Amino acid sequence: MNLGLLLARMAQHSAAAPALFLGETLVARYDQFHDAAACFGGWLKGQGVRPGDRVAVFMPNVPQYLIALYGIWYAGAVAVPINTKLHGQEAAYILDHSDCALAVCAAAQTGVLQKAQTAVPVIDVTKQVPQGEAIDVASRNPDDLAWLFIRLARQGAPKGVQITHGMLMAMAYAYQSDVDQVTSEDATIYAAPMSHGAGLYAVMHVQKGARHICPVSAGFDAQEVLDLAAHFGRAHMFAAPTIVTRLTAHAQATGQDGRGLRTDRICGGPDVCGGYPQGAIGVW
């Protein structure tokens, strides 16, 4: 049970379906997404990365992020996503304490880690994700680690959450039956950090062959999100309560109705979101 199989199967069944976008521009179909991930997985293998090894992903919301994430899983390795808002020493702490084999970064984050003088090798994939010989998806058991999420607490010791392939696969199927039905006509907009919940929600959208939209800003801009939702239609978005508040305020101030934004998955508790229930689903 490897999460990468969801992408490999979609590449077989819907090869020409649009997959990765930068703004409104198509970057890769599903077959191309699969090929890039398989070749990146092969490159990782050539670098000595083995199943169970940990590989950090330290970059903003760009299409290369998903290629790297799935390439890591193709190789049977464990993804260690790092939020780009962290300072260099904080990111270096995560790398040095999670036993990472290497870190996949964009240009800005490469510089940040070089200044922090981490001992972990840093790979800049700003222009192109490295490509090796394509590999098949590595065999993984349900209880094998897929995602290691480390949070640096404001007080106290850092906390780590180990998420397995079985957990994420169960999450994807439960989402389809208990939360919302994703179809190939849907699009998910990555405005919140892909190093957190937005990245996890990529799984169920790959599962159904939906479109993956990375804003040109590589983050959250209210007008950009509204424009992308209107362009693609049937858009989903994972968001923190502050993003929902800012998006709603901007829409009201500019007289927009959120056309095309079908659901907004809200993460947070009432203490930080003015009364939104934790894990709420807003339907526009």
Side-chain angles (χ1 to χ4, degrees), residues 18-278:
L20 306 181
F21 288 81
L22 181 60
E24 297 179 6
T25 303
L26 177 64
V27 173
R29 305 183 307 263
Y30 265 94
D31 57 347
Q32 296 169 325
F33 182 10
H34 159 74
D35 290 345
C39 289
F40 180 60
W43 181 84
L44 288 174
K45 186 176 179 180
Q47 301 303 303
V49 174
R50 296 293 178 261
D53 286 351
R54 297 169 181 184
V55 178
V57 185
F58 189 33
M59 65 176 76
N61 295 359
V62 291
Q64 295 96 316
Y65 196 112
L66 287 174
I67 293 171
L69 179 63
Y70 276 84
I72 290 167
W73 288 337
Y74 273 42
V78 180
V80 184
I82 302 176
N83 195 316
T84 56
K85 295 186 182 298
L86 293 180
H87 296 295
Q89 293 298 329
E90 294 173 319
Y93 179 94
I94 291 175
L95 289 178
D96 296 336
H97 288 78
S98 60
D99 196 24
C100 282
L102 55 86
V104 182
C105 306
Q109 287 68 46
T110 299
V112 164
L113 288 178
Q114 288 173 342
K115 289 180 180 179
Q117 298 182 331
T118 177
V120 176
V122 178
I123 309 301
D124 186 345
V125 299
T126 303
K127 295 183 178 179
Q128 184 177 359
V129 178
Q131 301 288 282
E133 184 177 351
I135 59 172
D136 293 329
V137 180
S139 177
R140 296 274 82 193
N141 294 319
D143 58 353
D144 284 330
L145 197 60
W147 179 299
L148 179 60
F149 177 67
I150 298 177
R151 180 178 181 182
L152 300 181
R154 294 176 183 175
Q155 296 180 344
K159 296 177 174 61
V161 178
Q162 300 183 61
I163 308 175
T164 68
H165 286 270
M167 288 168 147
L168 289 177
M169 198 72 78
M171 175 197 74
Y173 282 102
Y175 184 89
Q176 307 292 350
S177 62
D178 297 339
V179 181
D180 191 27
Q181 288 287 323
V182 178
T183 75
S184 60
E185 301 300 316
D186 288 327
T188 183
I189 300 174
Y190 297 106
M194 294 170 74
S195 58
H196 194 259
L200 289 176
Y201 277 87
V203 175
M204 56 279 282
H205 288 84
V206 167
Q207 179 188 31
K208 295 296 183 178
R211 296 163 292 173
H212 304 260
I213 319 302
C214 294
V216 173
S217 67
F220 173 71
D221 176 271
Q223 187 58 54
E224 184 179 25
V225 167
L226 292 171
D227 289 343
L228 289 172
H231 174 78
F232 286 99
R234 295 185 60 85
H236 302 172
M237 188 176 73
F238 174 90
T242 53
I243 289 179
V244 176
T245 300
R246 290 168 58 190
L247 184 65
T248 302
H250 181 82
Q252 291 175 338
T254 55
Q256 299 176 80
D257 60 4
R259 179 170 58 92
L261 190 57
R262 187 163 78 83
T263 59
D264 191 359
R265 298 174 293 276
I266 304 168
C267 175
D271 58 326
V272 295
C273 62
Y276 289 114
Q278 185 170 5

